Structures are given as C-alpha cells and as structure tokens.
Amino acid sequence: MTALHPPGRRAAALTGVLLVALLAVACAAPSGSVRTPVDGRGRIPGAAVAPSTGCDRPPRRVPPPGRSTLLVPVGGGTRFSLVDVPAGAGPHPLLVSLHPFLLGPEQWDDYSGLSAAATARGYVVVTPLGSDPGPRWAVPGGVPSGADDIGFVGALADHVEDALCIDRNREFAAGFSAGAAMAQALSCTMPWRFAGVAGSGGTNLTSLCPDAPGTDVLALHGTADPIAPPSGSTVAFAPPLGLDVRDVVATDAARAGCAPAPVTTHPTASTVQQDFTGCAEGRRVRYLSLIGAGHTWAGAPNPLLGRVGGRTAPAVSRTPVALDFFDATATP
C-alpha cells in the first residue's frame, strides 16, 4: 500500500452554472447491460468471506484514526483518494464515497458530511478522485473514456483491505449525481464486493444491468430534479439526462429476486417510499421519491449548486438515511 499522507485543501467548488453546462457533455443517455466480472479474491455474490488481510498487520503498522491520503498505482500511473479511519481495531465496514461531477473529494465530503458521520459509526471511508475531464466518473453507458474508473475503485478497495482490518462482507458505495451513477455501476459490475449501494440524483445515469446478481440498493431522487429528472430522457448529450428512475429500481429489484410490486409508504409528507419485498437472501431495494426536491444531496440548502439544482428536501437528510440503510444490510 502506498504511504498515507496528511491531505491538502483543493480549490473552491465551481459554480452551479458551469456544473450544468459541463454535465451536458459529460454524460450520455445510458443503454445496454453490464457483464459481471470474476472476482480475483475468491468472492461470489451472497457468499460470506473472511475479514481482510489487513486484520493480520502488526498494530504499529496500522494507520492511526483520522484522515490520510492515498496514492494507488493503477495502469502505470497513480490515482488519489482520501482515507478516513475510525477508532477501534475492527474489522470495520468499508464505505466508498463518490463525488458528483466537478467536485473533488474534499469539497464533496464538506458538503455531504459522509466521512465524519460514517467513521462515527465505525466505517472506514475512502473518498476517491474521479478521472479527467472533470473530475468525473466513467460509467457503462456514459461517454466513452480511456479511464477505467471501475477498475480504480476495485484497486483502491483491494489496497485498503490489505492495509486495514475490513469486514469484507460489509463493503458499500454511496454517491450523488455522477457519483450515484458510479455507485449504481459498481452494484452492477462488482456485486460480489458491494453488499449495498446508495445513490441520490443519478442512479439513472448509467446502463441497466438485468443479468447481474442482486445487491441492496437505495435510490433517492427529487421529483423536481432539473438535471437528471426522474422520468428520464432519450436524447443523448442534451439535458435532461438519464433513464426513468422507476426502470432502474425495477431492474435492481428483479436482480435481487424481489416481488415486482413494491409496498408504498409515506415516511413524511414530502417523501414517498417504495420497498420491494420477498427478495432473495434478505436483499432490499428501496426508492425514496422526494417530492419537490431538486438536484441535491443533503437535507439543507445547497451552496454548491445554488439556484440551478433546485431546493433540497428539508425532511430528509441523505447521509443518515444512507448509513441507516447500510447498517441494516443483511450479510452472509
């Protein structure tokens, strides 16, 4: 594992207007399906695995609690990630936190608060930097790119497993916008690794994968999202972008072996929750439709997108909702 270093501060976030302008050329309307690769570490979907090799490292060689940075060798170069380590010996669950288009790891984490909230619950959190131009995430169904972002996230998780004591049955991914598309793509391409994923405002920005094994999936989406509207679009390279979120969730439910008709509840006056039941192996697929909410993550005003992204959902804070979902995930 490459040495961990104290992190520096990156530049301030770009404006929401620039975000929307570049998002229009960064994502294509997705189509097609994704094949599931073979796991090189002996995992198959739904099968229990032993804690990571990092659990056997001498205590003096384990990075201390707090934030470090990591450079991961990938494809002849190196890729960057923040690493936040909780107190305690582990094994720890692992969360991959995925930024939206144009925002670097520090800006995304300042906005979402995922690292602080997750490490308080005992998670190791990695917040990687996407690829250029952007930063962005290259996902199936998006604009063709030479970057292998999915391979990078896999290599990053391998490195963290080798360096820290990770519960390999409890590895998760969460993201917003393009990061949500990446989380959904990871559930398709690495169902043997990720027990669950959560995505807000972007699970519909990558290809469907009806033939992939199931994982737990939490999709959150504002009904007034102006950038990736829940009803989707069929026109590539022109906003609004994305598939119909209902098709994404229905496909995820079918992958997980759930009954096709969800149970609908109303946790708050501005939230519609659909839970798919009867899923195989205790899997869960949930869709939270946030009435009147725009393209945002947190349950607070959105300083990053301003007026462009629309209003947030005051009754729902995505960070605790996502972590509660992961905490309840059944493992083998």
Side-chain angles (χ1 to χ4, degrees), residues 227-250:
I227 295 175
S231 58
S233 171
T234 59
V235 181
F237 299 103
L241 300 172
L243 300 171
D244 192 313
V245 178
R246 293 168 297 183
D247 292 339
V248 177
V249 175

Side-chain angles (χ1 to χ4, degrees), residues 70-303:
L70 173 64
L71 296 178
V72 181
V74 179
T78 57
R79 297 285 298 269
F80 171 89
S81 179
L82 300 177
V83 181
D84 286 272
V85 180
H92 300 286
L94 174 65
L95 174 62
V96 180
S97 177
L98 298 158
H99 63 73
F101 186 55
L102 286 184
L103 299 185
E106 293 95 341
Q107 296 135 353
W108 159 238
D109 195 57
D110 287 346
Y111 172 41
S112 68
L114 266 172
S115 291
T119 54
R121 300 191 188 201
Y123 287 71
V124 169
V125 183
V126 292
T127 310
L129 177 65
S131 54
D132 291 328
R136 54 174 264 179
W137 297 107
V139 296
V143 175
S145 169
D148 182 7
D149 287 338
I150 288 175
F152 162 49
V153 171
L156 171 62
D158 287 347
H159 274 70
V160 173
E161 285 182 357
D162 292 341
L164 299 171
C165 187
I166 301 299
D167 181 352
R168 296 196 301 157
N169 296 299
R170 300 189 61 78
E171 298 189 5
F172 306 100
F176 165 51
S177 191
M182 186 62 170
Q184 173 69 21
L186 292 171
S187 85
C188 291
T189 57
M190 299 184 192
W192 40 265
R193 160 158 267 156
F194 290 99
V197 302
S200 179
T203 56
N204 59 336
L205 296 174
T206 186
S207 298
L208 301 177
C209 54
D211 297 328
T215 60
D216 282 14
V217 176
L218 170 63
L220 306 99
H221 216 104
T223 62
D225 189 325
I227 295 175
S231 58
S233 171
T234 59
V235 181
F237 299 103
L241 300 172
L243 300 171
D244 192 313
V245 178
R246 293 168 297 183
D247 292 339
V248 177
V249 175
T251 300
D252 289 338
R255 290 169 51 202
C258 309
V263 175
T264 301
T265 57
H266 299 268
T268 73
S270 59
T271 307
V272 179
Q273 178 171 306
Q274 293 185 328
D275 287 293
F276 289 83
T277 61
C279 309
E281 301 175 340
R283 292 292 184 198
R284 295 169 303 138
V285 176
R286 175 175 296 168
Y287 176 26
L288 279 175
S289 182
L290 310 174
I291 299 171
H295 195 71
T296 67
W297 170 266
N302 188 353

